[in-house]
Amino acid sequence: MERPRPVIECGEVALRRWRGQRDFSSAHQLIEESVDHLRPWGPWVAQHGEENTRSFLAKAGTGWAGGRVYNYAVTEHGTLVGMCQAYRGAEPTGWFRGYWLHPAATGRGIATRATSALISEMFTLPAVRYLEIAHDSDNTASAAIPRRLGFTEARVRHHLLAYCDGRRSPDSTVHQRQHRRAQGPDVTEYVR
């Protein structure tokens, strides 16, 4: 089974495979400092804690080994600033992408460069025919990334968000998709 490279460099930004529990302290601190920033967009944040960080890192290793999910730490000049991943979708040739950054790292193109680099890497794998990014319809910053990289809207899913305090609120998730191009994706301008 072919897998993406464990380290993907794109200028001052790099993606590197998580190193299991050796990354616990830095991963936990990154999430801890980002909780308020992520809370509106990531229901998983409500469950944040040391145990969940350890579980995430363990699952990142087994998911990579099984070829189901490729989780990366996003670094800028060697400093951890976020996370991104590609994970297998319901269809065998479709993969989903996810990403988030520490609030101090937003607005500088880091998420776009990291996403672009992982798109290019994933499209080198013969089994990957398309990538899809899902984002909350109200998250305009996250929505801008797939548009910048040539994704097109595939569908909108309306649902109720359930919060740990029992509240529920209507929400919409937009799915944007990019198919493998015959010549490969034209996203290299962001991977510098």
Side-chain angles (χ1 to χ4, degrees):
M1 172 186 297
E2 294 187 50
R3 290 183 174 77
R5 292 175 292 162
V7 177
I8 305 167
E9 299 201 16
C10 46
E12 71 278 359
V13 175
L15 286 68
R16 68 162 174 80
R17 180 180 172 183
W18 287 104
R19 300 173 300 204
Q21 299 307 313
R22 290 180 293 163
D23 280 327
F24 170 75
S25 293
S26 57
H28 185 71
Q29 180 178 346
L30 176 72
I31 298 167
E32 191 73 21
E33 292 175 1
S34 303
V35 165
D36 290 338
H37 170 69
L38 297 172
R39 186 171 283 118
W41 320 118
W44 62 269
V45 173
Q47 306 301 318
H48 169 64
E50 289 186 13
E51 184 178 321
N52 284 348
T53 302
R54 290 188 190 284
S55 176
F56 162 75
L57 292 169
K59 289 176 184 172
T62 58
W64 190 290
R68 295 179 309 279
V69 62
Y70 302 112
N71 284 296
Y72 288 90
V74 177
T75 64
E76 180 186 39
H77 302 294
T79 300
L80 181 62
V81 295
M83 299 184 187
C84 71
Q85 66 179 324
Y87 56 97
R88 191 176 298 279
E91 299 173 20
T93 61
W95 285 72
F96 290 95
R97 287 273 301 106
Y99 46 83
W100 64 264
L101 295 176
H102 186 285
T106 62
R108 301 196 324 253
I110 295 170
T112 301
R113 288 192 303 270
T115 299
S116 177
L118 191 50
I119 289 167
S120 295
E121 186 70 17
M122 291 304 292
F123 278 142
T124 67
L125 305 177
V128 178
R129 296 288 175 247
Y130 71 86
L131 294 167
E132 197 165 290
I133 294 174
H135 58 83
D136 187 289
S137 60
D138 292 332
N139 190 340
T140 56
S142 190
I145 294 167
R147 278 197 306 272
R148 251 184 238 122
L149 297 175
F151 281 63
T152 56
E153 188 174 302
R155 67 186 179 281
V156 177
R157 185 173 65 93
H158 302 283
H159 51 92
L160 277 176
L161 282 180
Y163 295 90
C164 59
D165 64 4
R167 290 179 299 124
R168 292 183 174 272
S169 100
D171 191 46
S172 297
T173 301
V174 179
H175 292 257
Q176 297 195 41
R177 184 177 284 191
Q178 185 178 92
H179 290 272
R180 177 194 302 269
R181 295 185 183 143
Q183 302 297 320
D186 185 20
V187 295
T188 55
E189 68 183 272
Y190 291 99
V191 185
R192 288 190 191 136

